[in-house]
Amino acid sequence: MTNQKNNDLLLEVEELSVAFRMYDAAFEQQELQVISDLSIQVRRGEILAIAGSSGSGKSLLAHAVLGLLPENAIVTGRMAYDGELLTLERQEQLRGSQIALVPQSVAYLDPLMRVGEQVRGPHGKASAQRAAFERYGLGPAVDKLYPFQLSGGMARRVLVSTAVVADAQLIIADEPTPGLDLGIALETLKHFREFADQGKGVVLITHDIDLAFNIADRIAVFYAGTTVEVANASDFSGQGEALRHPYTKALFHALPQNGFHPIEGFQPYPKNLPPGCLFGPRCPHKGLQCEEKVFMREVRGGSVRCNRGA
Ligand SMILES: Nc1ncnc2c1ncn2[C@@H]1O[C@H](COP(=O)(O)OP(=O)(O)OP(=O)(O)O)[C@@H](O)[C@H]1O
Ligand code: NI
């Protein structure tokens, strides 16, 4: 991270690690490493997708940026928003105004507040709220409902509206489309695209790599709590020859349109991380040097955490 303000960069996350302080059955304190040396950047005007399987740390990254991690989290590394260090105090100021979260779970809505009021926010943006609800097919009657009265798809549309109404510079959308019908899902993604085209930033978290490379500008691929590759969306084409990491290539080849070749093995659990390369145990190219820590490096306009020539 430089001291000079780079106006293009909206969000910088550098070498972020997160561990949870836990107690095991014998009341021994343990540290569970859930994010390791993770770095991403979000530029103005782009959608950065974060793709990775369940448990790869996608939601935790969102919560870390917003300062929403639980008390037992030990966080190291650096994060900056618009060139300024993200301290807890700064996160509190930015949350819901400059940075908006579309949470993965509806549990983030206040159960005791009518949804119209919640989406209007503390500054009572009534016309913006109505416009957003209309855009997402939520009639006027929805304003007066409580969260428990919403169906899954409606609740998700309410969550997306919250981020839109906040008029934030950065939207972090955590799996915003599951449960939406196709029309509304496409409308939501179109809205994110417009948002980015206005010079704002969007982080689109998804386990769906197909969705990621169809809508985003760049894709950060997460594995076991870290980035293994940051690629341009256009790298996901042909036989995947432009991709840099064996895991990203494997994800690409596992898509139905690319032959449905499955990946052998499992992502390691935070309790049982292998030394060195976290993908090592599943990697067909694993060598001795992969037992040591592997750093991200720049390769052909993207970056990769792999020792091979890539
Ligand atoms: N409060 C917590 N205490 C302990 N472990 C946690 C906690 N929250 C998350 N984890 C663990 O951290 C890892 C990453 O979780 P995270 O929710 O970020 O995954 P994700 O990539 O968002 O997955 P999904 O696609 O299922 O939403 C998982 O192994 C999860 O079990
Ligand atoms: Ni998640």
Side-chain angles (χ1 to χ4, degrees):
M1 219 162 286
T2 53
N3 292 325
Q4 218 172 6
K5 202 160 165 167
N6 180 340
N7 281 329
D8 253 11
L9 284 180
L10 203 47
L11 178 71
E12 296 163 84
V13 174
E14 212 176 75
E15 296 282 298
L16 177 75
S17 292
V18 178
F20 287 114
R21 216 175 275 119
M22 313 275 267
Y23 291 89
D24 66 13
F27 300 102
E28 296 274 346
Q29 188 172 304
Q30 285 193 344
E31 283 181 17
L32 198 64
Q33 185 78 28
V34 284
I35 291 194
S36 315
D37 305 319
L38 189 153
S39 302
I40 54 149
Q41 299 187 330
V42 184
R43 303 174 189 144
R44 290 180 193 282
E46 79 168 350
I47 299 181
L48 175 78
I50 294 183
S53 60
S54 192
S56 58
K58 305 182 299 297
S59 296
L60 283 179
L61 170 69
H63 294 171
V65 168
L66 285 148
L68 297 173
L69 290 172
E71 290 246 311
N72 63 330
I74 308 160
V75 183
T76 60
R78 279 175 296 175
M79 295 187 281
Y81 174 78
D82 200 14
E84 264 185 63
L85 218 54
L86 268 179
T87 57
L88 273 177
E89 193 188 4
R90 189 88 187 104
Q91 284 169 321
E92 213 169 294
Q93 292 166 353
L94 296 171
R95 204 155 63 213
S97 56
Q98 292 267 309
I99 310 180
L101 174 70
V102 180
Q104 183 168 15
S105 157
V106 173
Y108 284 85
L109 286 172
D110 180 342
L112 301 176
M113 206 197 260
R114 295 180 196 275
V115 297
E117 198 181 336
Q118 262 183 83
V119 172
R120 284 193 288 280
H123 305 297
K125 296 178 179 164
S127 58
Q129 178 251 320
R130 213 41 331 277
F133 273 24
E134 244 159 64
R135 183 161 192 171
Y136 292 115
L138 299 164
V142 179
D143 291 22
K144 299 261 181 305
L145 299 180
Y146 288 95
F148 78 90
Q149 295 173 303
L150 305 173
S151 70
M154 276 165 95
R156 193 149 293 285
R157 284 179 272 156
V158 167
L159 292 174
V160 173
S161 302
T162 309
V164 170
V165 171
D167 195 24
Q169 287 296 304
L170 177 66
I171 287 191
I172 302 180
D174 195 351
E175 303 273 7
T177 54
L180 295 183
D181 70 49
L182 187 62
I184 300 272
L186 292 175
E187 177 72 17
T188 308
L189 295 174
K190 202 174 103 200
H191 212 147
F192 288 155
R193 186 68 260 171
E194 280 167 18
F195 198 83
D197 291 344
Q198 291 163 9
K200 300 170 178 180
V202 178
V203 176
L204 177 66
I205 295 176
T206 176
H207 59 265
D208 184 349
I209 195 141
D210 209 348
L211 175 81
F213 64 72
N214 276 304
I215 185 80
D217 300 287
R218 296 188 304 137
I219 295 124
V221 180
F222 280 25
Y223 186 80
T226 198
T227 31
V228 291
E229 175 162 357
V230 182
N232 297 309
S234 56
D235 296 335
F236 290 84
S237 56
Q239 303 299 308
E241 54 278 352
L243 297 170
R244 302 158 190 82
H245 196 278
Y247 178 62
T248 318
K249 284 183 192 267
L251 281 179
F252 189 62
H253 292 134
L255 291 173
Q257 65 268 37
N258 297 331
F260 236 139
H261 304 293
I263 321 171
E264 299 280 325
F266 300 95
Q267 175 177 265
Y269 291 106
K271 240 190 232 170
N272 259 325
L273 294 181
C277 175
L278 297 176
F279 187 65
R282 294 171 83 179
C283 184
H285 314 289
K286 183 173 184 251
L288 267 181
Q289 78 277 29
C290 307
E291 309 257 338
E292 311 283 324
K293 181 172 171 164
V294 186
F295 295 89
M296 285 300 269
R297 60 194 176 91
E298 306 291 312
V299 174
R300 290 183 274 106
S303 51
V304 66
R305 196 187 295 279
C306 180
N307 290 318
R308 287 179 80 228

